[in-house]
Amino acid sequence: PLANHLHAAGIDCVRGSLDDVIARFSGCLAAHPCDWIVRICADSPLLREDVVRTVAARVGAEVDADLVTTTGKRTFPIGTNVEILRASSLARMLAEPSLDKDDREHLTRFMHRNPDRYRIVNVESGDPSLASVDLAVDTVDDLHRLEALP
């Protein structure tokens, strides 16, 4: 239904395997070539614009980075994270023979597991205690929990 809604609104939507997120991102990249890919998960409805802008600013400053992330050392609430990865690094990762099923399902897992092979820049909130706050929506109970917030 969401894809149909987007198409009806004239917004392109690239779809793919539920379990092979790397292939889905690769298909999107083939349809829409670019230098950098922004990863924002659908379970993060409370992601703030300023967090995205802060991470994007680091991409401009860190020209040698493969990945700019807020999850290397978590200091933002769960469900408010963003990652921006270099398209050429995604292509390099796709060629890795040791990618496993979990790597293919979680886009940047392989990079995080191989920090000696990828330049990862972590952006921190300045308040590590925020890492214990959960604002992700993965279940109906999560949605009700967030709806009850003041």
Side-chain angles (χ1 to χ4, degrees), residues 54-124:
T54 298
V55 174
R58 289 297 297 272
V59 167
E62 304 287 346
V63 292
D64 292 333
D66 293 299
L67 174 66
V68 180
T69 182
T70 58
T71 65
K73 176 182 176 190
R74 187 178 295 278
T75 63
F76 287 92
I78 297 165
T80 63
N81 296 296
V82 62
E83 294 186 303
I84 303 179
L85 64 146
R86 188 181 295 277
S88 60
S89 300
L90 173 64
R92 195 172 88 207
M93 189 171 48
L94 277 166
E96 293 286 350
S98 60
L99 278 178
D100 65 24
K101 181 180 181 284
D102 288 334
D103 292 328
R104 297 195 73 85
E105 183 179 350
H106 302 283
L107 182 64
T108 59
R109 179 179 183 263
F110 187 83
M111 289 179 165
H112 285 287
R113 288 190 317 113
N114 293 280
D116 55 319
R117 294 162 69 182
Y118 296 93
R119 182 154 184 256
I120 300 171
V121 174
N122 194 64
V123 177
E124 297 185 22

